[in-house]
């Protein structure tokens, strides 16, 4: 199992499909996961440190976990079947709950717990990006740091 870090979220064109991009902390493989736009927004907002006036779903879940006296210890991306990724939330006492990777990552960022991916998932779906493309990943990271949710709103007509 490899620890992963969130590089960011980007939109794959022309399908306009958001992709969550993770990278091995101590390796060179990237793991792209296609996710929904709501989860992509939740991840991007958390990475940018944006605090909404009212809790979003992942903020609420974090608060519920704390109110119940539980502790989320880690998130694991456990499987890839027929193009669908699977994950689990690992709580204190080795309690595990099945979850989508997008929701799991959004929650992990809010709680500050590690994200791991099974080696079998990385072997099947992991990518090694050549050095010349590494600059593009860094540019993408810089873009994420400079963008705000208001940038994605349509023009009023």
């Amino acid at each position: 199992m490899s620890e992963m870090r969130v590089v960011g979220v980007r939109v794959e064109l022309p399908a306009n499909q958001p992709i969550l991009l993770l990278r091995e902390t101590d390796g060179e493989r990237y793991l792209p996961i296609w996710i929904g736009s709501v989860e992509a927004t939740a991840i991007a907002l958390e990475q940018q440190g944006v605090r909404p006036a009212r809790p979003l779903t992942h903020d609420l879940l974090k608060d519920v976990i704390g109110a119940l006296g539980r502790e989320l210890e880690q998130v694991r991306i456990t499987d890839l079947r027929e193009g669908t990724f699977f994950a689990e939330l690992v709580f204190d006492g080795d309690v595990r709950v099945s979850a989508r990777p997008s929701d799991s990552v959004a929650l992990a960022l809010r709680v500050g717990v590690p994200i791991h991916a099974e080696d079998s998932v990385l072997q099947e779906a992991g990518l090694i990006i050549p050095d010349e493309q590494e600059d593009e990943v860094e540019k993408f990271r810089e873009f994420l740091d400079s963008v705000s949710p208001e940038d994605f709103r349509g023009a009023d007509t």
Side-chain angles (χ1 to χ4, degrees), residues 62-87:
K62 173 188 171 191
D63 293 345
V64 168
I65 292 167
L68 294 174
R70 299 310 300 241
E71 183 178 325
L72 180 64
E73 294 181 341
Q74 67 174 296
V75 162
R76 291 184 174 189
I77 300 169
T78 57
D79 202 1
L80 174 59
R81 286 183 255 146
E82 298 177 16
T84 301
F85 288 89
F86 293 80

Side-chain angles (χ1 to χ4, degrees), residues 4-62:
M4 308 297 288
R5 67 177 170 79
V6 178
V7 175
V9 178
R10 62 177 285 219
V11 176
E12 179 70 17
L13 296 174
N16 254 2
Q17 179 69 39
I19 297 174
L20 167 63
L21 188 60
L22 304 174
R23 182 176 182 185
E24 284 181 298
T25 302
D26 294 324
E28 54 188 23
R29 290 180 290 187
Y30 288 83
L31 185 62
I33 302 175
W34 279 259
I35 63 175
S37 59
V38 172
E39 295 78 18
T41 300
I43 291 167
L45 289 175
E46 185 62 26
Q47 281 194 301
Q48 295 169 20
V50 174
R51 296 289 173 246
R54 300 291 300 143
L56 298 177
T57 303
H58 301 96
D59 302 308
L60 174 63
L61 185 54
K62 173 188 171 191

Side-chain angles (χ1 to χ4, degrees), residues 4 11 18 30 33 40 47-48 60-61 87 89 91 94-95 101 114 117 130-132 140 144 150-152:
M4 308 297 288
V11 176
Y30 288 83
I33 302 175
Q47 281 194 301
Q48 295 169 20
L60 174 63
L61 185 54
L89 306 173
F91 293 92
D94 202 33
V95 173
D131 288 340
E132 58 269 11
F140 175 62
L144 287 176
E150 290 77 27
D151 295 332
F152 295 100

Side-chain angles (χ1 to χ4, degrees), residues 7 133-143 145:
V7 175
Q133 291 181 4
E134 188 83 31
D135 291 337
E136 291 300 316
V137 172
E138 186 57 38
K139 288 178 190 172
F140 175 62
R141 204 177 287 130
E142 290 170 9
F143 165 76
D145 291 340

